[in-house]
Amino acid sequence: MSLADSDRELVVEELGRDPTPAEAALFENLWSEHCAYRSSRPLLSAFESEGEQVVVGPGDDAAVVELPSHGDAGTNSDDETDLEGESEDDGDSTYITMGIESHNHPSYVDPFDGAATGVGGIVRDTLSMGAYPIALADSLYFGEFDREHSRYLFDGVVEGISHYGNCIGVPTVAGSVDFHAKYEGNPLVNVACVGLLEADRLVTAEAQQPGNKLVLVGNATGRDGLGGASFASEDLAEDAETEDRPAVQVGDPYAEKLLIEANEVLIEEHLIESARDLGAAGLGGASSELVAKGGLGARIDLDRVHQREPNMNALEILLAESQERMCYEVEPENVDRVAEIAERFDLGCSVIGEVTDGNYVCTFEGSEARRASDDSSGDEGEPRERETVVDVDASFLGDGAPMNDLPAEDPPRPNVDRPTTELEKAFESVVSSPNTASKRWVYRQYDHEVGVRTSVPPGDDAAVMAIRECETGLAISSGAAPNWTEAAPLEGAKAIALENATNLAAKGATPLAAVDCLNGGNPEKPDVYGGFTRIVDGLAEMCSALSIPVVGGNVSLYNDSVAGPIPPTPTLAVVGTKAGYDAPPLEAAPEGELLLVGDLAMASDSYRLGGSEYLAQFSGSDRFPALPESPAAFVDALAEIADDETTRAVHDVSHGGLAVSLAEMASTEVGLEVALPGEDPIGALFHEQPGRALVQTTDPDGLRAAVPDETPVVSIGTPTDDGVVRIETGEQTLEVGAESVRELRNTIERELE
């Protein structure tokens, strides 16, 4: 990929000359879709990102949100575990950071390193804000599970995430896994990270003062990951697994762990004025963006960068995406102390330049002799003249890319073509589908207990982390639903936001904030861009309706290959809060009536199967389910119900429909006797309207009084002691033992062990 002719003309006009090779490469990368969001930025204003809890919104390495304090909640208050290296809470506000990123193309080329370095990058974004990382959530999307290549990518990605996350000691507690034919040539790896900090530790990626030094700390710079930003802005070619391997970074989690702990000391001693992780476009991207945000410039001597490979030229030093590196702005009197701390943690440290009030300038000694062409001249020992290889306005470099005005086609409305299937066959096919089956094979590879904060572990509707500093439970949910957004991009994206919020509410938490990762195909195709614009609108509308500020995110386009474009995929990671850290279980208890809350279709016996796993299994099409008119009232009521002392179990109803949720609630000790009204058992069991939940309670009248008037509540069953799920619907009865259910849901583990 090279700088487009139209872009080159703008650069020449701004500079008054032709760009140097290093400048051209910088513009190519920083003006790429991956960095500049040229096709998506005009759409992102649809999101509401403000709120009294929002401290730092979109535009920084990570967002910062203030947590409410539940100091008198009383739950587990005897445990005084705090942040690594911190004293007990001194009364200052407690903040979390939230960030999400994609590592899609690299994970296709090299699933292990591509996924691992995605984890490393989002963790360093957390460090940039002065926070300590406490949780990860991964949302993964692959081609059909029965394809050998899909399983190869799946296995490698999970191994890469688990290896890196486990080594650095950050628990992976939430996420999702989906399989769909259109990801065959382009999997998606979306990773979110939550960090924790106190108010006085906050750092941003905005340079503060001319004369301050720029210090590079971390691994030495090599040639790995060259051109990664531009690589991520192209469709994947058929030979990408071999030809694009040099664009994939190689991670070192042990160096990352040292960097995490060194960063903790640097922040604790207040040695850092601003910080930026070295990710896309490497040193050139991080350092130019840092000073541009402050309206400043920089002068950088590229020879001073500590390197691990010989004879690197200026372009390579600027753009290599070697991992585990941070760029810090440091006051001159603190530079020696920063170097001491770096040495203590066995990390490289280079004072590479300083902040200025002029242009962004990079110099290099003898760069003409060591360019990418490798056309060297002169004797090796001969002194080389220092040359200015970059001299541009940092703001123009970072924000000067023109936006794309692309045509968009509205997606077609689906026809109604519902297949007819035997109930038992439908149940077995949907419950055993890799999309709805147990993901235990995935999360058992993650150390989700490291850090001793995980109160509700993976495998539930949402994870819950114990934030003891303010006695608050932090619930985390992350995911998307490609079947939904392929069938109906606008309504499907709304449903994704509502489903994630429902997951939080099922654990008794109310939503606080969200970050999104918007994945799409080639935006130059009008039908693809049309679908992408609809998921943006849908996500923004539902988050607004739920009063969830979208405080940051990531956009990944050109997820297109010889297999075609991916479905529009809006991954949403949402956090919510509650008093205390306990939450109702997902599994049914021996006592309590089972109520279905919020099923609009059951109230009218009129079901829509659009976007369902049932249609994915048996083919066909249908309209997408109607959504609640007052979703916020439903979510608030469910959170209150979940925390009520009469509630015995709560489980959201979404992917796979009621059939899957009932199967997941049953156990060998507790079965369920269920009777469903109406004459459409397939619709009742397999439609996937979000904004529903199964609640088991000993006070059904109290529950009915707690929900909004427009929210339907249907009593559908009671627990049994035989471990059997019995469902009577219409004139049919389905009976499945818990062991049979477990075997059906064991699809992934059975195939990959």
Side-chain angles (χ1 to χ4, degrees):
M1 192 173 180
S2 58
L3 191 63
D5 290 343
S6 57
D7 289 345
R8 188 178 185 89
E9 290 174 4
L10 288 174
V11 171
V12 170
E13 181 180 355
E14 171 72 17
L15 300 182
R17 56 175 171 80
D18 286 335
T20 67
E23 289 170 339
L26 266 181
F27 279 107
E28 173 201 329
N29 278 266
L30 292 178
W31 284 19
S32 67
E33 186 66 52
H34 184 74
C35 291
Y37 291 3
R38 299 175 66 159
S39 301
S40 60
R41 188 180 293 182
L43 307 175
L44 301 182
S45 60
F47 290 107
E48 295 182 12
S49 58
E50 297 181 350
E52 61 180 12
Q53 73 272 42
V54 180
V55 179
V56 177
D60 221 307
D61 272 2
V64 181
V65 180
E66 184 174 2
L67 292 180
S69 177
H70 297 96
D72 57 354
T75 305
N76 298 345
S77 59
D78 57 327
D79 191 334
E80 298 296 335
T81 304
D82 286 309
L83 281 169
E84 295 276 348
E86 289 199 68
S87 60
E88 294 181 11
D89 181 45
D90 60 3
D92 287 344
S93 296
T94 301
Y95 295 164
I96 60 166
T97 60
M98 299 177 67
I100 191 168
E101 77 167 30
S102 61
H103 244 220
N104 303 336
H105 285 28
S107 297
Y108 177 79
V109 174
D110 181 346
F112 180 88
D113 281 314
T117 52
V119 173
I122 197 63
V123 166
R124 290 192 302 279
D125 285 343
T126 302
L127 304 184
S128 296
M129 310 305 294
Y132 197 91
I134 62 167
L136 294 164
D138 58 339
S139 294
L140 314 175
Y141 310 86
F142 303 95
E144 292 182 320
F145 186 68
D146 60 3
R147 297 286 297 269
E148 182 179 353
H149 189 248
S150 297
R151 293 198 299 271
Y152 155 74
L153 293 173
F154 178 36
D155 189 29
V157 164
V158 171
E159 184 182 2
I161 291 171
S162 64
H163 174 71
Y164 206 100
N166 293 351
C167 288
I168 63 175
V170 180
T172 302
V173 299
S176 61
V177 180
D178 286 276
F179 300 92
H180 190 290
K182 291 187 177 180
Y183 296 120
E184 174 59 32
N186 198 132
L188 304 182
V189 175
N190 297 171
V191 182
C193 184
V194 175
L196 189 62
L197 71 156
E198 292 177 355
D200 64 351
R201 295 166 53 93
L202 178 63
V203 174
T204 70
E206 181 176 324
Q208 299 296 307
Q209 183 68 39
N212 285 343
K213 300 299 181 181
L214 293 175
V215 182
L216 186 63
V217 174
N219 268 347
T221 300
R223 291 185 171 91
D224 52 318
L226 277 168
S230 56
F231 161 61
S233 303
E234 300 176 300
D235 292 351
L236 276 173
E238 193 167 7
D239 58 358
E241 289 178 282
T242 54
E243 293 300 313
D244 291 321
R245 190 165 292 274
V248 179
Q249 310 93 330
V250 178
D252 178 357
Y254 302 105
E256 180 98 346
K257 177 61 175 174
L258 294 172
L259 192 57
I260 291 170
E261 301 306 329
N263 188 80
E264 188 73 359
V265 177
L266 295 172
I267 296 296
E268 183 69 24
E269 296 189 14
H270 300 287
L271 299 173
I272 305 304
E273 305 305 310
S274 65
R276 193 109 197 179
D277 148 57
L278 270 69
L283 174 62
S287 58
S288 64
E289 290 168 352
L290 184 78
V291 296
K293 282 183 67 68
L296 299 168
R299 184 171 185 86
I300 295 174
D301 295 334
L302 296 175
D303 307 87
R304 296 184 178 180
V305 173
H306 51 287
Q307 303 160 38
R308 70 167 183 266
E309 297 187 38
N311 300 321
M312 291 185 68
N313 59 52
L315 189 152
E316 291 169 334
I317 296 170
L318 269 174
L319 292 179
E321 296 182 9
S322 303
Q323 297 293 284
E324 294 84 40
R325 300 180 299 163
M326 297 285 291
C327 182
Y328 294 119
E329 178 190 5
V330 180
E331 292 182 345
E333 61 268 26
N334 291 330
V335 167
D336 289 344
R337 178 58 182 156
V338 170
E340 289 175 7
I341 293 168
E343 183 178 7
R344 169 182 157 193
F345 287 95
D346 199 23
L347 295 168
C349 180
S350 305
V351 181
I352 60 172
E354 67 180 23
V355 179
T356 70
D357 55 7
N359 273 359
Y360 176 75
V361 177
C362 299
T363 63
F364 188 60
E365 185 177 308
S367 61
E368 286 293 331
R370 291 199 271 161
R371 259 200 248 165
S373 63
D374 215 14
D375 180 20
S376 57
S377 60
D379 295 332
E380 188 146 339
E382 184 178 333
R384 297 185 176 102
E385 181 182 353
R386 177 165 296 282
E387 180 187 3
T388 299
V389 295
V390 176
D391 187 352
V392 299
D393 179 83
S395 296
F396 180 69
L397 180 60
D399 296 318
M403 297 296 104
N404 295 331
D405 184 11
L406 300 174
E409 294 178 0
D410 287 337
R413 292 179 62 87
N415 298 320
V416 178
D417 179 19
R418 288 176 51 171
T420 302
T421 314
E422 292 180 358
L423 185 60
E424 185 174 348
K425 181 179 180 181
F427 182 89
E428 291 177 355
S429 296
V430 171
V431 172
S432 65
S433 165
N435 285 326
T436 58
S438 170
K439 304 304 187 296
R440 181 178 176 275
W441 180 87
V442 177
Y443 60 75
R444 74 173 189 179
Q445 299 183 53
Y446 303 149
D447 185 350
H448 55 264
E449 295 181 347
V450 63
V452 296
R453 290 186 182 272
T454 309
S455 178
V456 176
D460 212 313
D461 288 334
V464 178
M465 309 296 290
I467 310 301
R468 301 180 183 89
E469 290 75 6
C470 54
E471 296 189 36
T472 295
L474 183 73
I476 305 172
S477 176
S478 175
N483 286 342
W484 294 359
T485 45
E486 182 181 49
L490 179 71
E491 294 81 2
K494 290 181 181 179
I496 287 167
L498 178 55
E499 197 238 336
N500 277 287
T502 304
N503 285 338
L504 303 181
K507 300 297 102 180
T510 54
L512 180 72
V515 291
D516 59 21
C517 191
L518 305 173
N519 305 272
N522 186 332
E524 297 164 44
K525 300 176 180 179
D527 59 331
V528 170
Y529 194 58
F532 183 80
T533 61
R534 301 289 275 178
I535 63 169
V536 172
D537 290 343
L539 212 61
E541 288 177 25
M542 183 55 77
C543 286
S544 176
L546 295 169
S547 299
I548 304 175
V550 180
V551 293
N554 174 262
V555 178
S556 175
L557 295 176
Y558 292 94
N559 293 291
D560 218 316
S561 69
V562 292
I566 64 163
T569 309
T571 298
L572 191 69
V574 191
V575 300
T577 58
K578 61 178 298 179
Y581 325 128
D582 295 331
L586 178 153
E587 289 190 346
E591 61 170 353
E593 189 173 335
L594 187 63
L595 305 179
L596 177 59
V597 181
D599 197 317
L600 305 175
M602 186 169 288
S604 61
D605 198 26
S606 176
Y607 300 99
R608 299 179 182 180
L609 290 168
S612 66
E613 186 61 31
Y614 173 80
L615 288 186
Q617 291 295 315
F618 297 104
S619 300
S621 61
D622 200 354
R623 294 175 298 165
F624 195 77
L627 302 179
E629 292 184 4
S630 303
F634 165 78
V635 169
D636 289 345
L638 182 61
E640 181 181 346
I641 291 165
D643 273 341
D644 191 90
E645 63 181 5
T646 64
T647 298
R648 296 294 178 261
V650 182
H651 189 15
D652 95 301
V653 182
S654 55
H655 305 298
L658 185 59
V660 169
S661 296
L662 290 169
E664 291 172 335
M665 289 190 78
S667 66
T668 54
E669 291 79 26
V670 180
L672 294 170
E673 188 87 36
V674 174
L676 301 180
E679 301 299 323
D680 184 0
I682 293 294
L685 283 170
F686 301 110
H687 85 98
E688 297 187 9
Q689 176 221 314
R692 295 181 291 163
L694 287 166
V695 181
Q696 187 185 22
T697 177
T698 58
D699 183 13
D701 291 338
L703 183 149
R704 288 186 174 90
V707 301
D709 292 340
E710 67 272 17
T711 301
V713 178
V714 181
S715 176
I716 64 169
T718 55
T720 65
D721 60 3
D722 59 3
V724 174
V725 179
R726 294 184 187 86
I727 304 172
E728 293 185 6
T729 173
E731 297 181 356
Q732 301 185 60
T733 300
L734 181 68
E735 187 170 305
V736 187
E739 288 295 343
S740 297
V741 169
R742 179 179 297 177
E743 184 61 22
L744 287 172
R745 300 193 66 243
N746 202 33
T747 301
I748 293 175
E749 194 160 357
R750 183 171 57 248
E751 292 296 323
L752 294 179
E753 285 297 278

